[in-house]
Amino acid sequence: MEKFVTHTGTAIPLRRSNVDTDQIIPAVYLKRVTKSGFEDGLFAAWRNDPEFVLNQPEYKAATILVAGADFGTGSSREHAVWALQNYGFKAVISSRFADIFRGNSLKGGLLTVILPQENVEKIWSAIEADPTASVTVDLEAKNVRLGSEVYPFELDDYTRWRLMEGLDDIGLTLKNIDSVTAYESSRPAYKPKTLPARS
Amino acid sequence: MSKTLAEKIWADHIVRSAQGEPDLVYIDLHLIHEVTSAQAFDGLRLAGRQVRRPDLTIATEDHNTPTLNIDLPIADPVSKLQVDTLRQNCAEFGVRIHSLGDAEQGIVHVVGPQLGLTQPGMTIVCGDSHTSTHGAFGALAFGIGTSEVEHVLATQTLPLVRPKTMAINVDGVLPDGVTAKDVILAIIAKIGTGGGQGYVIEYRGSAIRALSMEGRMTICNMSIEAGARAGLIAPDEKTFEYVRTKPHAPQGADWDAALSYWKTLTTDADAKFDVEISLKAEELAPFVTWGTNPGQGLPLNASVPNPADINDVAERGAAERALTYMGLEAGVPLKSIKVDTIFLGSCTNGRIEDLRAAANILKGKKKADSVRMLVVPGSARVRLQAEQEGLDKVFIDFGAEWRNAGCSMCLGMNPDQLAVGERSASTSNRNFEGRQGKGGRTHLVSPLVAAATAIRGTLSSPADL
């Protein structure tokens, strides 16, 4: 996984709440068996509308998505994270994220930043007034900077460390695999097994 | 210290707990399907890793599979590749799979319980958000992303932050015609699509206890629509009896040991939930969604709301957008809305009891000329059972299409989709824009409302017949 320490880029305002993962990437785009190539499916239905913010040339180069509350609800599809990353987004800012989407994003190195709605609104206004405004998402300092404004955010130390080091969870768990073996030795015998198959 | 049910199950599955780190939690059952597993198996291959516990893993094909002509190769080459990839991965890594045409094939959340692999006190995961369904057995069950699928395949564990606990109490007796689906739609309308974020919900109270296992699965299934990754219901005699007759139920001394453990799986009398919410069963009614998220629902007797009456700015904007998308005018009675397609199926309402309930309403009647109706059993086993009971004939005589098992029109990954502007009454779980097909308009309903709507052609409850 790519390390995330700090990222500076331009940002795009998505003034919609409850953006579910079916909107981020519709089901018909989920059929690929790789983690790449999902950018065409990103917000596919909405991108048919020429007025949609992603179609505005001034936001073409944006790498930070600033969305309304409850971003990423619905389906657990990690393809939503891949689609955002494949398109070029490095971070998403919202006042609330759905649990599964949030987990998926932080596993895959897409930084999801939770800011109070009032600060989201301020960022929206600023990047609408000046789409070229430079926005910095600083994981080390745990803040978002835009002009003279500094918006602090919270992230647990463990996840922050893992993202800053670019460590993958499986490797970390495998370091403690003996504890898994020990746990398994005391699992009750009545717990079901899928093999051999019974029907 | 006294604990809630969710806290007890969590504690029993902690492999490793360290200050400042998420708990490492053991996973008892990992369910797999074709859409969210390919990249996970690929990751294993790249790292030279194995599936740690194939004997705690099971796969089925459901999201992409056609519901017609299942004896032919899958027509869409991209869907076919995804299903073929699952089959190859299962063969390579030694994972049990139930493929299209197999009597145990079906929607992953219907298959687990019917095989008896879903049991009380377990931790169950799947790369699918409706894994919460299995919570109906008093299991801690939740949806995961593909990175987590890979993690479970490799280690049979997940690093997880302990969720907060929420109790939703539904006491009293449900009025006639009010089902589990109406209860959960009313709950979501009350707490909102984000209300359960960060929580495990325990559904409690006499109205919940009175539900069948199928009804409890419907409730827990849609926990995710309320924002909660998991929802559960304490197991009781109904649960034990349901599991007892299933193929993978514990046998002999194992049954006795399991049962004595399962009987401890209740929330302690003095345990505290972080949040408690209560609903009165008597006040509930058949429910239907009018908008484009599952929280935008109302009793069927109500009218389409006026966004101008909504105080919250974001919610008002969402309601305005939803009405435009749905092609609805504020103030129109919900019961006057004409529907084109009825979808009876999905992991929410595709079990045998759902088919029986709908067939009971439809028996001897004819569908409205203006509608089409798809009946898609949740699993091949459910389809066989329904045919044994003659339900297929009831549906066919009524004018409905009797299909093979799968996720089908719930998410339209296979050919079962709505056309642009087409309106459905659907027993599924999501009314998102385009969910059932690009430009399609979805009203979420119970099987009883779906059946009554198929007869009248407008959103209706059995009481309207």
Side-chain angles (χ1 to χ4, degrees):
Chain A
M1 191 171 81
E2 213 175 303
K3 291 180 184 182
F4 191 112
V5 179
T6 181
H7 172 76
T8 299
T10 56
I12 179 169
L14 182 64
R15 283 188 181 262
R16 296 185 189 198
S17 59
N18 244 304
V19 175
D20 58 77
T21 54
D22 273 79
Q23 305 317 314
I24 299 173
I25 184 158
V28 292
Y29 290 92
L30 304 185
K31 300 182 185 186
R32 304 178 74 92
V33 293
T34 60
K35 290 187 187 179
S36 58
F38 290 102
E39 61 274 20
D40 292 346
L42 182 69
F43 299 121
W46 293 347
R47 272 160 78 186
N48 289 332
D49 173 6
E51 299 295 310
F52 183 54
V53 68
L54 252 75
N55 291 329
Q56 306 315 307
E58 60 269 33
Y59 292 114
K60 279 283 186 228
T63 51
I64 300 163
L65 181 67
V66 189
D70 296 315
F71 188 82
T73 56
S75 159
S76 64
R77 57 189 70 165
E78 197 160 326
H79 313 65
V81 171
W82 302 332
L84 288 161
Q85 289 179 318
N86 291 168
Y87 186 87
F89 287 113
K90 303 290 182 195
V92 183
I93 298 172
S94 172
S95 61
R96 286 151 61 102
F97 291 95
D99 290 344
I100 301 179
F101 176 82
R102 169 103 163 140
N104 288 344
S105 68
L106 297 175
K107 298 273 178 206
L110 176 73
L111 184 61
T112 40
V113 174
I114 300 174
L115 290 183
Q117 185 60 32
E118 61 192 75
N119 291 346
V120 172
E121 307 263 356
K122 284 183 196 163
I123 296 174
W124 276 342
S125 301
I127 60 182
E128 281 166 354
D130 178 11
T132 67
S134 169
V135 179
T136 296
V137 179
D138 189 335
L139 183 54
E140 187 158 31
K142 289 198 285 188
N143 63 36
V144 175
R145 298 190 294 275
L146 171 55
S148 58
E149 298 287 334
V150 179
Y151 306 105
F153 65 85
E154 290 300 318
L155 187 69
D156 69 273
D157 290 342
Y158 179 83
T159 306
R160 175 167 163 267
W161 163 75
R162 199 172 49 67
L163 287 167
M164 288 179 63
E165 297 293 327
L167 296 171
D168 98 275
D169 265 331
I170 298 177
L172 292 171
T173 298
L174 287 173
K175 285 186 189 163
N176 293 306
I177 203 68
D178 289 351
S179 58
V180 179
T181 308
Y183 179 89
E184 284 176 331
S185 68
S186 63
R187 277 183 86 232
Y190 57 75
K191 295 269 185 179
K193 292 196 167 104
T194 59
L195 297 170
R198 297 190 220 155
S199 58
Chain B
M1 208 183 92
S2 40
K3 288 195 178 86
T4 66
L5 170 57
E7 289 164 342
K8 285 184 184 179
I9 301 173
W10 188 278
D12 286 345
H13 290 83
I14 294 178
V15 168
R16 186 173 177 276
S17 195
Q19 186 65 36
E21 291 182 28
D23 287 345
L24 192 62
V25 176
Y26 199 80
I27 303 302
D28 287 322
L29 179 66
H30 188 190
L31 304 158
I32 284 175
H33 63 87
E34 73 274 17
V35 181
T36 55
S37 64
Q39 293 86 351
F41 281 111
D42 224 27
L44 290 188
R45 239 182 322 261
L46 282 170
R49 291 170 181 151
Q50 292 297 311
V51 174
R52 181 175 176 87
R53 295 297 299 265
D55 60 335
L56 303 183
T57 312
I58 186 167
T60 185
E61 302 162 3
D62 55 6
H63 283 64
N64 273 278
T65 51
T67 57
L68 287 172
N69 303 320
I70 61 166
D71 48 334
L72 300 177
I74 297 174
D76 176 351
V78 200
S79 286
K80 182 174 185 301
L81 174 66
Q82 202 167 53
V83 171
D84 287 346
T85 303
L86 178 70
R87 291 177 188 179
Q88 286 159 14
N89 283 330
C90 287
E92 181 181 340
F93 289 93
V95 172
R96 172 178 171 188
I97 180 169
H98 292 292
S99 289
L100 201 56
D102 182 317
E104 304 301 344
Q105 175 268 342
I107 307 175
V108 65
H109 311 307
V110 180
V111 169
Q114 80 186 11
L115 282 172
L117 288 167
T118 300
Q119 297 177 14
M122 293 173 68
T123 47
I124 300 176
V125 299
C126 174
D128 187 285
S129 61
H130 289 109
T131 309
S132 56
T133 311
H134 307 263
F137 292 79
L140 189 61
F142 48 89
I144 58 178
T146 298
S147 295
E148 291 173 306
V149 171
E150 185 179 341
H151 196 284
V152 177
L153 288 172
T155 70
Q156 204 57 34
T157 64
L158 278 177
L160 293 167
V161 174
R162 186 183 308 217
K164 294 175 284 182
T165 59
M166 177 186 289
I168 296 185
N169 304 298
V170 190
D171 278 306
V173 179
L174 292 174
D176 271 353
V178 178
T179 67
K181 182 64 163 286
D182 304 303
V183 174
I184 189 64
L185 286 174
I187 288 171
I188 299 163
K190 184 180 172 83
I191 73 172
T193 56
Q197 273 171 24
Y199 293 93
V200 171
I201 298 174
E202 182 178 336
Y203 301 97
R204 298 154 60 87
S206 53
I208 300 293
R209 298 249 70 84
L211 292 173
S212 65
M213 288 311 296
E214 282 87 350
R216 294 178 189 185
M217 283 189 254
T218 300
I219 299 259
C220 291
N221 171 275
M222 290 189 72
S223 300
I224 186 66
E225 274 64 53
R229 218 169 165 179
L232 41 60
I233 294 171
D236 57 14
E237 290 303 326
K238 265 184 211 171
T239 321
F240 309 148
E241 188 51 31
Y242 185 100
V243 174
R244 194 179 60 78
T245 55
K246 299 294 182 286
H248 282 274
Q251 304 294 313
D254 279 346
W255 172 262
D256 298 336
L259 194 62
S260 64
Y261 171 60
W262 296 349
K263 286 182 174 172
T264 68
L265 295 173
T266 55
T267 288
D268 295 329
D270 50 351
K272 286 270 182 294
F273 290 92
D274 295 305
V275 176
E276 286 215 47
I277 287 164
S278 293
L279 282 82
K280 291 196 177 78
E282 287 79 6
E283 293 175 0
L284 299 176
F287 225 78
V288 59
T289 61
W290 51 267
T292 55
N293 76 56
Q296 293 174 323
L298 281 169
L300 191 52
N301 283 328
S303 296
V304 175
N306 189 342
D309 297 338
I310 300 172
N311 288 328
D312 183 272
V313 178
E315 265 186 50
R316 190 188 314 144
E320 283 166 357
R321 276 187 55 81
L323 292 193
T324 304
Y325 181 84
M326 293 295 288
L328 293 174
E329 297 287 334
V332 169
L334 292 167
K335 282 189 179 171
S336 70
I337 296 172
K338 283 186 72 174
V339 165
D340 306 302
T341 293
I342 316 295
F343 174 63
L344 176 61
S346 86
C347 59
T348 311
N349 282 125
R351 285 171 287 268
I352 189 70
E353 186 184 80
D354 301 309
L355 302 192
R356 285 178 191 144
N360 191 40
I361 304 286
L362 303 179
K363 201 174 174 110
K365 300 204 166 59
K366 292 288 174 199
K367 75 170 180 66
D369 289 337
S370 55
V371 305
R372 66 166 170 156
M373 181 176 191
L374 263 65
V375 184
V376 182
S379 70
R381 185 65 69 197
V382 168
R383 182 180 151 100
L384 291 170
Q385 173 73 30
E387 289 178 350
Q388 209 171 15
E389 297 178 17
L391 303 184
D392 56 325
K393 296 203 174 54
V394 173
F395 290 121
I396 291 166
D397 290 347
F398 176 73
E401 298 175 42
W402 179 242
R403 298 293 190 92
N404 286 282
C407 301
S408 177
M409 192 180 270
C410 175
L411 84 167
M413 265 191 98
N414 76 350
D416 307 338
Q417 297 181 13
L418 295 180
V420 174
E422 197 177 346
R423 187 180 298 281
S424 77
S426 177
T427 65
S428 56
N429 42 55
R430 287 184 177 141
N431 52 343
F432 298 152
E433 290 181 27
R435 168 80 176 183
Q436 297 191 290
K438 201 170 176 179
R441 295 162 169 167
T442 303
H443 297 277
L444 300 177
V445 296
S446 74
L448 293 183
V449 170
T453 302
I455 294 168
R456 286 166 52 97
T458 50
L459 290 173
S460 308
S461 78
D464 300 319
L465 298 173

